[in-house]
Amino acid sequence: MAALNGLAKRLVNDGLLNETLASSSLAEANKQKMPFVVYLVQNGVLDARTLALVAADEFGTPVFDLKAINPQTLPSKLVDAKLIEKHRALPLIRRGNRLFVGVVDPTNLHALDEIKFNTGINTEAVLVEADKLAIAIEAYINANEESIGDALGGLDDEDLDNLDTENGAPTEDATVNEADEAPIVRFINKILLDAIKIGASDIHFEPYEKTYRVRLRTDGILQEVSHPPTNLATRIAARLKVMSQMDISERRVPQDGRIKMKISKTRAIDFRVNTLPTLFGEKIVLRILDPSSAKLGIDALGYEDEQKQMFMDALNQPQGMILVTGPTGSGKTVSLYTGLNILNTEERNISTAEDPVEINLEGINQVQMNTKVGLTFAEALRSFLRQDPDIVMVGEIRDLETAEIAIKAAQTGHLVLSTLHTNSAPETLTRLLNMGVPAFNVATSVSLIIAQRLARRLCPRCKKPASDIPSEILAEEGFDNIGIPREELELYHPVGCDSCLKGYKGRVGVYEVVRITPAISSLIMEGGNSLQIAKAATEAGFNNLRISALRKAAQGLTSLEEANRVTKD
């Protein structure tokens, strides 16, 4: 347990944290090398405003409201962006030879000294709220990188005409008049930038008989953002197809393409594009592939401590199979990429077979499936095994042939990671058996199964305590079975504010992590069904998806309504 002092001790004395939680949070913040205040806010332990006020009183430092300042008035290019990101310290106001710097921890004298050394100006700490500081720093850095993000303000901005897309040059088939298409170019570029700005995962361009709509999927929920005139449907489709290097004259069959957009000097975003001929035109969906999502780190995914440890233990095994399961959009790819990033060292040979390759990973041999020429998962796996692999990742086990080769690899000294589309961990085992994989091979090769969902995370700024939920409802929902005493439940309702969407901001993973124990192996060998395997997993102490979701709600990370949406049958 970490020793308590300073702000942590003050929070305990004020009754805002109990000593155990304060100590464990302090230890985890130190482990993750992040400020204590930032850790508390990011994990929903305390809200940023409360922490800022307590810290101001404790250290005798004034609190500054970042919403009261115009970002354009901040001292530009005075402090290097790397220094700002390193110390999470933002220059706010310069008065003569004094620079006031916004921080969440005024005791971080090293940050102030380093900024003073680099600027030659005396620095003075000003307390700000952690969540607002993160937003302000991102905006400040983007502005000083001359990011085109400021083009989001209006369609007349010149940048929206000349947005840097790798595939944006017109093809020989493009015969449209450039002057006529300028408004279309600006409109599409604005939609793409808006989607990136709010953290959307998908963009839907949808033509209907009398309307045309554009929707963004944010935190798993679709919302309408625009209704362009229906007579622009063909021109919008043509522009998107030019950007993705598709054949703009072909409208009868689906097509696939990619767009690479450079949004600043240091950041680029990929879009996976698919067209689908519908009754009234081509529906086009863009999946946003942000490389930074593959580098979140395992601590950011939302695993419980014991679940994270099981995942890490399985990754450290020299052989065996780790299976990740869940519906489309449940975060399986991010989980696999997180595992691969942990394993990605100079000493290991890692190969992946994916359909499609979503995010490029440096140092990993990624192979794109192409069924037209016979390059299937099974064929790629056969080739991998002739290339001296240490770790193999198969995008999805879809058939018996792929399953058998993957299991053979897991049994012959290779670590194999893959996915299946099932609803729970026990169902994954029975799916393999139903494919025709012998029970002995399943029992001896599979080492860990992760079933997962993504729940919307409550906005830490506006969530309100849910003290109105009757005791009998809590019992009915299953809160008596989650291992958290009733008096320690921290349930909240979503509210909604100017920094979130209907009370939610971001998502948190909900996991069922099942290690294949001797008891579960015996059940597999005996032909046990998914219900029997689920019972054995519960008896072994592995939380199912429902319990994991309720624990997230009890910790104030998500709401009961959201837990029910993602896990209740």
Side-chain angles (χ1 to χ4, degrees), residues 165-222:
T165 56
E166 202 170 85
N167 303 335
T171 64
E172 292 180 4
D173 295 327
T175 58
V176 291
N177 185 293
E178 289 186 10
D180 291 341
E181 291 308 298
I184 301 295
V185 171
R186 290 198 299 271
F187 169 74
I188 290 174
N189 289 346
K190 183 181 188 308
I191 292 292
L192 301 188
L193 288 167
D194 280 345
I196 294 168
K197 182 179 179 183
I198 68 172
S201 61
D202 301 88
I203 310 171
H204 294 242
F205 293 86
E206 302 171 310
Y208 297 98
E209 184 177 12
K210 297 180 180 179
T211 61
Y212 190 102
R213 69 177 177 182
V214 181
R215 293 190 292 173
L216 304 182
R217 187 179 294 279
T218 309
D219 296 338
I221 305 295
L222 279 169

Side-chain angles (χ1 to χ4, degrees), residues 219-260:
D219 296 338
I221 305 295
L222 279 169
Q223 56 172 333
E224 290 187 12
V225 294
S226 180
H227 282 279
T230 53
N231 62 352
L232 297 181
T234 304
R235 292 161 64 187
I236 290 173
R239 173 60 188 168
L240 287 167
K241 288 160 80 173
V242 166
M243 294 173 72
S244 357
Q245 293 188 324
M246 297 180 189
D247 182 357
I248 67 169
S249 64
E250 179 57 78
R251 303 175 185 174
R252 300 163 299 173
V253 296
Q255 296 187 65
D256 291 295
R258 286 178 87 99
I259 299 170
K260 189 178 188 70

Side-chain angles (χ1 to χ4, degrees), residues 432-478:
L432 289 172
L433 296 173
N434 291 338
M435 278 185 182
V437 180
F440 174 79
N441 285 343
V442 175
T444 56
S445 61
V446 179
S447 55
L448 189 78
I449 303 175
I450 302 171
Q452 65 182 78
R453 302 289 188 275
L454 289 177
R456 288 180 293 170
R457 188 188 290 267
L458 282 166
C459 174
R461 287 187 59 186
C462 65
K463 64 182 181 180
K464 68 174 184 179
S467 54
D468 56 341
I469 303 178
S471 180
E472 56 271 19
I473 296 296
L474 294 177
E476 185 180 320
E477 293 288 355

Side-chain angles (χ1 to χ4, degrees), residues 169-446:
T171 64
E172 292 180 4
D173 295 327
T175 58
V176 291
N177 185 293
E178 289 186 10
D180 291 341
E181 291 308 298
I184 301 295
V185 171
R186 290 198 299 271
F187 169 74
I188 290 174
N189 289 346
K190 183 181 188 308
I191 292 292
L192 301 188
L193 288 167
D194 280 345
I196 294 168
K197 182 179 179 183
I198 68 172
S201 61
D202 301 88
I203 310 171
H204 294 242
F205 293 86
E206 302 171 310
Y208 297 98
E209 184 177 12
K210 297 180 180 179
T211 61
Y212 190 102
R213 69 177 177 182
V214 181
R215 293 190 292 173
L216 304 182
R217 187 179 294 279
T218 309
D219 296 338
I221 305 295
L222 279 169
Q223 56 172 333
E224 290 187 12
V225 294
S226 180
H227 282 279
T230 53
N231 62 352
L232 297 181
T234 304
R235 292 161 64 187
I236 290 173
R239 173 60 188 168
L240 287 167
K241 288 160 80 173
V242 166
M243 294 173 72
S244 357
Q245 293 188 324
M246 297 180 189
D247 182 357
I248 67 169
S249 64
E250 179 57 78
R251 303 175 185 174
R252 300 163 299 173
V253 296
Q255 296 187 65
D256 291 295
R258 286 178 87 99
I259 299 170
K260 189 178 188 70
M261 176 187 287
K262 187 175 181 182
I263 61 173
S264 74
K265 293 179 181 177
T266 58
R267 189 181 177 203
I269 302 289
D270 283 331
F271 297 84
R272 193 179 78 213
V273 187
N274 177 265
T275 68
L276 178 69
T278 66
L279 197 58
F280 301 105
E282 290 178 286
K283 173 177 178 175
I284 302 179
V285 176
L286 286 71
R287 167 65 59 89
I288 302 173
L289 308 173
D290 187 351
S292 63
S293 67
K295 301 176 182 178
L296 289 174
I298 193 168
D299 292 317
L301 298 185
Y303 285 95
E304 301 277 344
D305 289 341
E306 62 274 13
Q307 293 176 333
K308 181 175 76 172
Q309 191 58 52
M310 283 191 284
F311 190 18
M312 293 299 295
D313 289 344
L315 289 172
N316 288 324
Q317 295 299 313
Q319 65 183 49
M321 182 181 288
I322 300 172
L323 295 173
V324 183
T325 183
T328 301
S330 60
K332 300 188 297 296
T333 300
V334 172
S335 289
L336 286 176
Y337 280 2
T338 299
L340 290 176
N341 275 320
I342 292 170
L343 295 167
N344 189 13
T345 63
E346 184 181 343
E347 296 81 19
R348 294 188 176 105
N349 176 22
I350 305 176
S351 296
T352 73
E354 304 175 60
D355 187 20
V357 174
E358 295 197 353
I359 296 172
N360 297 328
L361 300 175
E362 188 71 27
I364 293 177
N365 309 294
Q366 296 173 274
V367 179
Q368 168 72 54
M369 298 301 93
N370 188 347
T371 55
K372 291 180 181 178
V373 298
L375 182 53
T376 61
F377 283 122
E379 193 59 39
L381 266 175
R382 287 194 190 94
S383 181
F384 289 169
L385 295 179
R386 294 192 288 270
Q387 294 222 333
D388 183 33
D390 296 300
I391 295 142
V392 169
M393 193 270 272
V394 188
E396 183 183 350
I397 294 178
R398 297 175 179 171
D399 52 51
L400 176 59
E401 184 181 18
T402 305
E404 286 180 332
I405 301 171
I407 283 174
K408 178 183 176 183
Q411 292 174 331
T412 54
H414 308 92
L415 181 63
V416 179
L417 290 78
S418 189
T419 71
L420 276 88
H421 281 92
T422 57
N423 291 324
S424 66
E427 289 177 34
T428 303
L429 294 168
T430 54
R431 172 68 61 85
L432 289 172
L433 296 173
N434 291 338
M435 278 185 182
V437 180
F440 174 79
N441 285 343
V442 175
T444 56
S445 61
V446 179

Side-chain angles (χ1 to χ4, degrees), residues 66-95:
L66 285 172
K67 293 188 74 174
I69 195 168
N70 184 346
Q72 295 180 350
T73 65
L74 295 177
S76 63
K77 299 183 180 179
L78 187 62
V79 182
D80 186 76
K82 290 182 180 178
L83 206 58
I84 292 173
E85 287 190 306
K86 175 184 175 182
H87 294 300
R88 311 307 293 168
L90 182 65
L92 297 174
I93 301 168
R94 179 178 179 178
R95 289 180 181 165

